[in-house]
Amino acid sequence: MKGFFKTWEGLLLVILIATMAANALIVPEFLTVQNQINLFTLSIEKAIVALIMTYVIISAEIDLSVASVMGLAACVFGSLISGGWNPVMAIAICLAVGAAAGAFNAFWITYVGIPSLVATLAMLIGFRGFARVLLEDRGINGFPDWFNGLARDPLVGPLPFSIVLFIVLLVILGYVLHFTSFGRKVFVIGNNAEMARYSGVRTARVKTAIYVMSGVIAAAAGLLYAARLSSVRGDAAYGFELDIITMVLLGGVSIFGGRGSMLGVVLSILIVLNLRNGMSLMNIDGHRQTAVIGVLLICSVLVPNLMEHVRVFFSRPTQAPAKAAGSGAAPTRVE
Amino acid sequence: MMSLLQKVHPQNLRLIALAIVLVLLILFFATQIDNYLSPRMLNRIATSAALFLPVAIGQALVVITRNVDLSVGSLVGFLAFFMGDMLGHYDLGPVLTIVAFLVLGGCFGAINGTLVSYGRVPSIIVTLGTLAIFRALLIEYSDSRTITTDSMPKWVADFPQLSLFTVGSFDLRMTVALALAAALVFGIALSRLRSARKLYAVGSNPDAAIMSGIDSKRVVFWAFVLSGAMAGLGGFMFLVRFGNITVGAGLGFEFKSVSEIVVGGVNIFGGSGSMLGVVLGTVLVDTLENSLLRWQVISEFWRDALLGMLIILAVAADTFMTRSFTRLRAKKDV
């Protein structure tokens, strides 16, 4: 157990407890169950997408189009509802649209060989464009009450559907990532895609599966966003990709792939939400909150690096022979 | 044909392909839009591309070193607002203003560069953070005001109409000349200057670059400083082009600049790319945007959807062509 606090997840847990304690000290009502649920529902869509983004980034790719897929799904839903469709059918179609969007991304990335940063950047513009085409500058509301209640009305105990979905997805995706062969493949691909291919991993197939999942989950999150606001517009979920990626990277997932854990991502989601919630209770406006999270993101990588530097500096005598023999590249780790 | 293929460097083949795509695009829109091939349209596209070109140049320098700068959009916005506000109080005159933009931008770029090079934090994380931080600075500073050119010296409002020279009904606007001059300077530097070649060395193989005695940290640091300075020039363009600056200034420039340079053949994984490509890529994307905007057949809402698809198609075509050209060359060599 002692070793746990030296890991990234342990550090995140300490930060989380510190944030929650600070919040509770400043604002007494912070620790009530209702406030914690409220805080969670406010950004639940981002948290849900962050879970699958963990897969994408561990496989050493990126999906910048998630927020646009969220917007697209929400807009498809809006236009189907205003066209008089059955809401359940409309939801099914939206999820299918998400899957198609994911498959579309995967096609360019795995078969054509376009870097994912470029392909999903283009579709960040493209999918958002399609969302705008559907609704132009109309706003659509008048969804059924049960739909609007998905992010609000208690379903299991005090938890609304959106939080239940988050927990279910977390359990499934966490299990698959850490305890199944599929999860191992994701890590192997992220570590070294060439090696994975030579050792018989069907990298294209695994990546396609990840992107399709990413599309479906983003679409589901887009629908929850529409439910929470009880309305959709062409700019639904605009700019969410940055927050989602921040949550994943802060969780200790390496941007170069191959490293990370679901536990870290969940802790970082909780930290980000608690920080935002605490700052809102202290009347700090949204943009300052985002800046604080930006600083936190940079520090999360910078501080451990600097610590390493300090450690190397103070253990220099033992370091010297290794350095003379070494390449002179990155400092050798002193254990 | 084969011998021609042997002589032309793959990098240049890519540029030729890009130029062909651009010409085809212009010919296509000429059949669709009335008065398309007119000096007025040319001016419109040129001034639009001039606004984005400096940012794309800076982005290209960073991407060549195998990094990315996502903070440029926020930086353009902050500098445009901050300097606009300053100009309301002190009239610096055009030259000093541009210098101030470049220096301020360079200072902000140095923050990114320090964190990436000496803090060893991946650039995507640093600039994702500073994207949020610079934008927050702007919002904090602006106090949700909007500044207009009315409060600034008169030359600011006149600057976009200023022409360097006029040939017939075509005139080369000052802003276009500035952007082209920046591209020319960096283009010559990238192909001729030893210190600029280091950008490619670091980007194509960081370990080898270090082994051969290149201080890769310093090279990456300076790439970010220059990217910041170019974002500063972009901020100046933004200020003079749009009369009023709000907190939303420069939003999305980072994504646009990345797509422009990628269309222009800069490898997103570093190590290759040319200034001519960056100019062509920027012109291509802006021609597309402006033409789609004026195309009667489609509504304005289709613009982004088509733009995204066309960017991906352009990159795919480029990937295919480069791959098959390389294969053809390899066959010949055997």
Side-chain angles (χ1 to χ4, degrees), chain A residues 117, chain B residues 56-69 123 199-200 202-204 223-224 227 257-258 261-262 265-273:
Chain A
L117 188 72
Chain B
I57 292 172
Q59 187 71 263
L61 297 176
V62 170
V63 170
I64 287 173
T65 67
R66 216 180 252 203
N67 286 289
V68 70
D69 190 349
S123 59
L199 293 172
Y200 290 98
V202 170
S204 58
F224 274 99
S227 171
S257 63
V258 173
I261 63 161
V262 163
V266 177
N267 187 345
I268 194 77
F269 298 125
S272 72

Short mmCIF file of all heavy atoms in Angstrom, two decimals, chain A residues 117, chain B residues 56-69 123 199-200 202-204 223-224 227 257-258 261-262 265-273:
data_model
loop_
_atom_site.label_atom_id
_atom_site.label_comp_id
_atom_site.label_asym_id
_atom_site.label_seq_id
_atom_site.Cartn_x
_atom_site.Cartn_y
_atom_site.Cartn_z
N LEU A 117 -4.40 12.52 -36.06
CA LEU A 117 -4.51 13.94 -35.71
C LEU A 117 -5.11 14.72 -36.88
O LEU A 117 -5.96 15.59 -36.70
CB LEU A 117 -3.12 14.49 -35.36
CG LEU A 117 -3.07 15.90 -34.79
CD1 LEU A 117 -3.60 15.94 -33.39
CD2 LEU A 117 -1.66 16.44 -34.82
N ALA B 56 0.09 30.09 -39.99
CA ALA B 56 0.44 28.81 -40.60
C ALA B 56 1.96 28.65 -40.70
O ALA B 56 2.49 27.57 -40.47
CB ALA B 56 -0.20 28.69 -41.98
N ILE B 57 2.65 29.76 -41.01
CA ILE B 57 4.12 29.70 -41.10
C ILE B 57 4.70 29.28 -39.76
O ILE B 57 5.53 28.37 -39.66
CB ILE B 57 4.70 31.08 -41.52
CG1 ILE B 57 4.32 31.40 -42.96
CG2 ILE B 57 6.22 31.09 -41.37
CD1 ILE B 57 4.67 32.81 -43.39
N GLY B 58 4.25 29.95 -38.68
CA GLY B 58 4.74 29.63 -37.35
C GLY B 58 4.43 28.18 -36.99
O GLY B 58 5.29 27.46 -36.48
N GLN B 59 3.21 27.77 -37.29
CA GLN B 59 2.81 26.40 -37.00
C GLN B 59 3.71 25.41 -37.73
O GLN B 59 4.14 24.41 -37.17
CB GLN B 59 1.35 26.20 -37.43
CG GLN B 59 0.75 24.89 -37.05
CD GLN B 59 0.50 24.78 -35.56
OE1 GLN B 59 1.31 24.22 -34.83
NE2 GLN B 59 -0.60 25.33 -35.10
N ALA B 60 4.03 25.73 -39.00
CA ALA B 60 4.87 24.83 -39.80
C ALA B 60 6.24 24.67 -39.15
O ALA B 60 6.76 23.56 -39.04
CB ALA B 60 5.01 25.36 -41.22
N LEU B 61 6.83 25.78 -38.68
CA LEU B 61 8.15 25.71 -38.06
C LEU B 61 8.12 24.75 -36.87
O LEU B 61 9.03 23.94 -36.67
CB LEU B 61 8.61 27.10 -37.58
CG LEU B 61 8.79 28.15 -38.67
CD1 LEU B 61 9.14 29.48 -38.05
CD2 LEU B 61 9.86 27.72 -39.66
N VAL B 62 7.06 24.85 -36.07
CA VAL B 62 6.95 24.00 -34.89
C VAL B 62 6.72 22.54 -35.29
O VAL B 62 7.33 21.63 -34.75
CB VAL B 62 5.83 24.51 -33.96
CG1 VAL B 62 5.54 23.52 -32.86
CG2 VAL B 62 6.22 25.85 -33.36
N VAL B 63 5.83 22.34 -36.27
CA VAL B 63 5.49 20.97 -36.66
C VAL B 63 6.70 20.27 -37.30
O VAL B 63 6.90 19.08 -37.11
CB VAL B 63 4.27 20.95 -37.60
CG1 VAL B 63 4.05 19.57 -38.19
CG2 VAL B 63 3.02 21.36 -36.83
N ILE B 64 7.53 21.03 -38.03
CA ILE B 64 8.72 20.43 -38.63
C ILE B 64 9.62 19.84 -37.56
O ILE B 64 10.26 18.82 -37.75
CB ILE B 64 9.47 21.48 -39.49
CG1 ILE B 64 8.70 21.75 -40.77
CG2 ILE B 64 10.88 21.00 -39.85
CD1 ILE B 64 9.25 22.87 -41.61
N THR B 65 9.64 20.45 -36.35
CA THR B 65 10.46 19.90 -35.26
C THR B 65 9.74 18.78 -34.50
O THR B 65 10.16 18.42 -33.41
CB THR B 65 10.84 20.98 -34.24
OG1 THR B 65 9.65 21.40 -33.57
CG2 THR B 65 11.50 22.15 -34.87
N ARG B 66 8.63 18.28 -35.04
CA ARG B 66 7.90 17.18 -34.43
C ARG B 66 7.13 17.62 -33.19
O ARG B 66 6.96 16.86 -32.24
CB ARG B 66 8.86 16.06 -34.04
CG ARG B 66 8.28 14.67 -34.22
CD ARG B 66 9.28 13.64 -33.81
NE ARG B 66 9.79 12.95 -34.99
CZ ARG B 66 10.32 11.74 -34.94
NH1 ARG B 66 10.42 11.10 -33.83
NH2 ARG B 66 10.73 11.18 -36.05
N ASN B 67 6.69 18.87 -33.18
CA ASN B 67 5.86 19.36 -32.08
C ASN B 67 4.60 19.96 -32.68
O ASN B 67 4.40 19.90 -33.89
CB ASN B 67 6.61 20.41 -31.25
CG ASN B 67 7.67 19.78 -30.38
OD1 ASN B 67 7.37 19.10 -29.42
ND2 ASN B 67 8.93 19.97 -30.74
N VAL B 68 3.75 20.52 -31.84
CA VAL B 68 2.57 21.20 -32.35
C VAL B 68 2.28 22.37 -31.44
O VAL B 68 2.62 22.33 -30.25
CB VAL B 68 1.37 20.22 -32.46
CG1 VAL B 68 0.86 19.82 -31.09
CG2 VAL B 68 0.25 20.81 -33.30
N ASP B 69 1.75 23.47 -31.99
CA ASP B 69 1.42 24.64 -31.18
C ASP B 69 -0.08 24.91 -31.26
O ASP B 69 -0.55 25.49 -32.23
CB ASP B 69 2.22 25.85 -31.66
CG ASP B 69 2.09 27.02 -30.70
OD1 ASP B 69 1.23 26.94 -29.81
OD2 ASP B 69 2.84 27.99 -30.85
N SER B 123 4.59 18.84 -26.24
CA SER B 123 4.06 20.11 -26.72
C SER B 123 2.54 20.12 -26.75
O SER B 123 1.93 21.15 -26.50
CB SER B 123 4.61 20.42 -28.10
OG SER B 123 4.25 19.39 -29.00
N LEU B 199 16.07 22.58 -37.79
CA LEU B 199 14.67 22.25 -37.49
C LEU B 199 14.33 20.89 -38.09
O LEU B 199 13.70 20.05 -37.45
CB LEU B 199 13.74 23.31 -38.07
CG LEU B 199 13.78 24.71 -37.48
CD1 LEU B 199 12.93 25.64 -38.32
CD2 LEU B 199 13.27 24.71 -36.06
N TYR B 200 14.77 20.68 -39.35
CA TYR B 200 14.47 19.41 -40.02
C TYR B 200 15.21 18.26 -39.34
O TYR B 200 14.66 17.18 -39.16
CB TYR B 200 14.89 19.46 -41.49
CG TYR B 200 14.04 20.37 -42.33
CD1 TYR B 200 14.44 21.65 -42.64
CD2 TYR B 200 12.82 19.93 -42.81
CE1 TYR B 200 13.67 22.49 -43.41
CE2 TYR B 200 12.02 20.75 -43.59
CZ TYR B 200 12.45 22.03 -43.89
OH TYR B 200 11.68 22.84 -44.65
N VAL B 202 16.18 17.96 -36.25
CA VAL B 202 15.55 17.60 -34.98
C VAL B 202 14.23 16.86 -35.22
O VAL B 202 13.92 15.88 -34.56
CB VAL B 202 15.30 18.88 -34.14
CG1 VAL B 202 14.42 18.57 -32.94
CG2 VAL B 202 16.62 19.46 -33.69
N GLY B 203 13.49 17.32 -36.24
CA GLY B 203 12.18 16.71 -36.49
C GLY B 203 12.26 15.33 -37.10
O GLY B 203 11.45 14.46 -36.79
N SER B 204 13.24 15.09 -37.96
CA SER B 204 13.24 13.79 -38.64
C SER B 204 13.86 12.71 -37.78
O SER B 204 13.46 11.56 -37.86
CB SER B 204 13.94 13.87 -39.99
OG SER B 204 15.25 14.31 -39.82
N ALA B 223 11.91 27.45 -32.23
CA ALA B 223 10.75 27.21 -33.11
C ALA B 223 9.49 27.77 -32.45
O ALA B 223 8.67 28.42 -33.11
CB ALA B 223 10.60 25.72 -33.40
N PHE B 224 9.36 27.56 -31.14
CA PHE B 224 8.17 28.07 -30.45
C PHE B 224 8.19 29.59 -30.35
O PHE B 224 7.16 30.24 -30.47
CB PHE B 224 8.04 27.45 -29.06
CG PHE B 224 7.32 26.14 -29.09
CD1 PHE B 224 8.01 24.94 -29.08
CD2 PHE B 224 5.94 26.10 -29.16
CE1 PHE B 224 7.34 23.73 -29.14
CE2 PHE B 224 5.26 24.90 -29.20
CZ PHE B 224 5.97 23.71 -29.19
N SER B 227 7.15 30.79 -33.67
CA SER B 227 5.72 30.56 -33.85
C SER B 227 4.92 31.62 -33.10
O SER B 227 3.92 32.15 -33.62
CB SER B 227 5.36 29.16 -33.34
OG SER B 227 3.97 29.01 -33.32
N SER B 257 -4.79 26.40 -38.80
CA SER B 257 -3.39 26.44 -39.23
C SER B 257 -2.84 25.03 -39.41
O SER B 257 -2.10 24.77 -40.36
CB SER B 257 -2.55 27.24 -38.24
OG SER B 257 -2.54 26.61 -36.98
N VAL B 258 -3.23 24.11 -38.52
CA VAL B 258 -2.73 22.74 -38.67
C VAL B 258 -3.27 22.14 -39.96
O VAL B 258 -2.53 21.52 -40.74
CB VAL B 258 -3.11 21.86 -37.46
CG1 VAL B 258 -2.75 20.42 -37.72
CG2 VAL B 258 -2.40 22.34 -36.22
N ILE B 261 -1.32 23.62 -43.06
CA ILE B 261 0.04 23.16 -43.34
C ILE B 261 0.05 21.68 -43.71
O ILE B 261 0.88 21.24 -44.49
CB ILE B 261 1.00 23.43 -42.16
CG1 ILE B 261 0.57 22.65 -40.92
CG2 ILE B 261 1.12 24.88 -41.87
CD1 ILE B 261 1.67 22.51 -39.92
N VAL B 262 -0.90 20.92 -43.19
CA VAL B 262 -0.96 19.50 -43.54
C VAL B 262 -1.37 19.34 -45.00
O VAL B 262 -0.80 18.55 -45.74
CB VAL B 262 -1.93 18.76 -42.59
CG1 VAL B 262 -2.31 17.43 -43.17
CG2 VAL B 262 -1.26 18.57 -41.25
N GLY B 265 1.43 19.81 -47.25
CA GLY B 265 2.46 18.78 -47.34
C GLY B 265 3.48 18.78 -46.22
O GLY B 265 4.50 18.12 -46.33
N VAL B 266 3.22 19.52 -45.13
CA VAL B 266 4.12 19.42 -43.99
C VAL B 266 3.76 18.14 -43.23
O VAL B 266 2.59 17.94 -42.89
CB VAL B 266 3.99 20.64 -43.05
CG1 VAL B 266 4.88 20.48 -41.83
CG2 VAL B 266 4.34 21.91 -43.79
N ASN B 267 4.75 17.30 -43.00
CA ASN B 267 4.48 16.04 -42.32
C ASN B 267 4.17 16.32 -40.85
O ASN B 267 4.96 16.94 -40.14
CB ASN B 267 5.70 15.13 -42.43
CG ASN B 267 5.42 13.75 -41.89
OD1 ASN B 267 4.44 13.53 -41.17
ND2 ASN B 267 6.28 12.82 -42.22
N ILE B 268 3.00 15.84 -40.39
CA ILE B 268 2.57 16.13 -39.02
C ILE B 268 3.51 15.45 -38.02
O ILE B 268 3.59 15.85 -36.87
CB ILE B 268 1.10 15.71 -38.81
CG1 ILE B 268 0.52 16.30 -37.52
CG2 ILE B 268 0.94 14.21 -38.77
CD1 ILE B 268 0.14 17.73 -37.60
N PHE B 269 4.26 14.44 -38.45
CA PHE B 269 5.21 13.78 -37.56
C PHE B 269 6.61 14.38 -37.67
O PHE B 269 7.59 13.78 -37.25
CB PHE B 269 5.25 12.28 -37.81
CG PHE B 269 3.94 11.62 -37.56
CD1 PHE B 269 3.32 10.85 -38.52
CD2 PHE B 269 3.32 11.79 -36.34
CE1 PHE B 269 2.09 10.27 -38.27
CE2 PHE B 269 2.09 11.21 -36.08
CZ PHE B 269 1.48 10.44 -37.05
N GLY B 270 6.71 15.55 -38.26
CA GLY B 270 7.96 16.28 -38.27
C GLY B 270 8.91 15.88 -39.38
O GLY B 270 8.74 14.88 -40.07
N GLY B 271 9.93 16.72 -39.56
CA GLY B 271 11.03 16.37 -40.45
C GLY B 271 10.90 16.81 -41.88
O GLY B 271 11.91 16.87 -42.58
N SER B 272 9.70 17.11 -42.36
CA SER B 272 9.62 17.57 -43.75
C SER B 272 8.52 18.60 -43.93
O SER B 272 7.60 18.70 -43.13
CB SER B 272 9.41 16.39 -44.71
OG SER B 272 8.10 15.91 -44.58
N GLY B 273 8.66 19.34 -45.03
CA GLY B 273 7.71 20.41 -45.32
C GLY B 273 8.46 21.61 -45.87
O GLY B 273 9.63 21.78 -45.59
#
